[in-house]
Amino acid sequence: YGQHGSPWEFNLRDIFRWCQLLKSDKGQINLKCAAKYADMLYTQRLRTDHDRLLIEERFRSHFGSESNQPNPKLEVTPNYVLVGTTLLERFSGTAHWSDIPTQGSEPDISQALLRPMEAVACCIRMNWPCLLVGPSSSGKTVLLKTLADNCNIHIETLAM
């Protein structure tokens, strides 16, 4: 599996990142967290439904549980943005893009974008690079702009 858009390799770095995520979750290593982070690091990386089903079966065969994750919720408070269980601080200073109005309330965003948004937020929290890949109009820019707006951070995008 993983031939569409290949080469997709799962390597030692991915295993270490999975361990870092498990450790970062307030020290509570449990099956639910293991499944959530496996979904972020492995399942969402694959491009076809067939490949995602195969990797979910692999997870189930090793851990005896479903790796399917419900769509996370997006919550915005005056100080934080919570995407699923990933918490990001909202910028509140005036020196950074002070002429850009700040977002005040929760945005209207497709439920389908919340799983990848949580993965992006997790990469931001862990200070990891993140690569978004998908066809035109699949929501990549909307996801980034929505997350940036809610964190009160200005973002510039380039269409390639």
Side-chain angles (χ1 to χ4, degrees), residues 32-46:
K32 183 179 177 181
C33 291
K36 177 177 79 170
Y37 295 133
D39 177 68
M40 283 183 190
L41 285 172
Y42 302 109
T43 309
Q44 289 187 44
R45 181 184 298 185
L46 299 171

Side-chain angles (χ1 to χ4, degrees), residues 1-8 51:
Y1 58 92
Q3 296 303 305
H4 184 73
S6 65
W8 291 115
D51 288 343

Side-chain angles (χ1 to χ4, degrees), residues 40-92:
M40 283 183 190
L41 285 172
Y42 302 109
T43 309
Q44 289 187 44
R45 181 184 298 185
L46 299 171
R47 295 188 185 184
T48 67
D49 289 337
H50 176 71
D51 288 343
R52 287 187 286 274
L53 285 173
L54 288 174
I55 204 161
E56 288 170 4
E57 287 175 20
R58 176 70 52 101
F59 183 90
R60 191 171 34 259
S61 73
H62 287 283
F63 293 95
S65 175
E66 293 293 322
S67 63
N68 290 345
Q69 297 296 306
N71 281 333
K73 294 184 178 172
L74 175 63
E75 297 177 38
V76 181
T77 70
N79 298 316
Y80 297 97
V81 174
L82 183 65
V83 187
T85 59
T86 303
L87 191 67
L88 297 175
E89 275 191 70
R90 295 184 80 193
F91 185 78
S92 59

Side-chain angles (χ1 to χ4, degrees), residues 123-137:
C123 286
I124 292 168
R125 180 177 57 96
M126 298 299 287
N127 202 24
W128 292 340
C130 181
L131 179 65
L132 295 178
V133 178
S136 181
S137 299

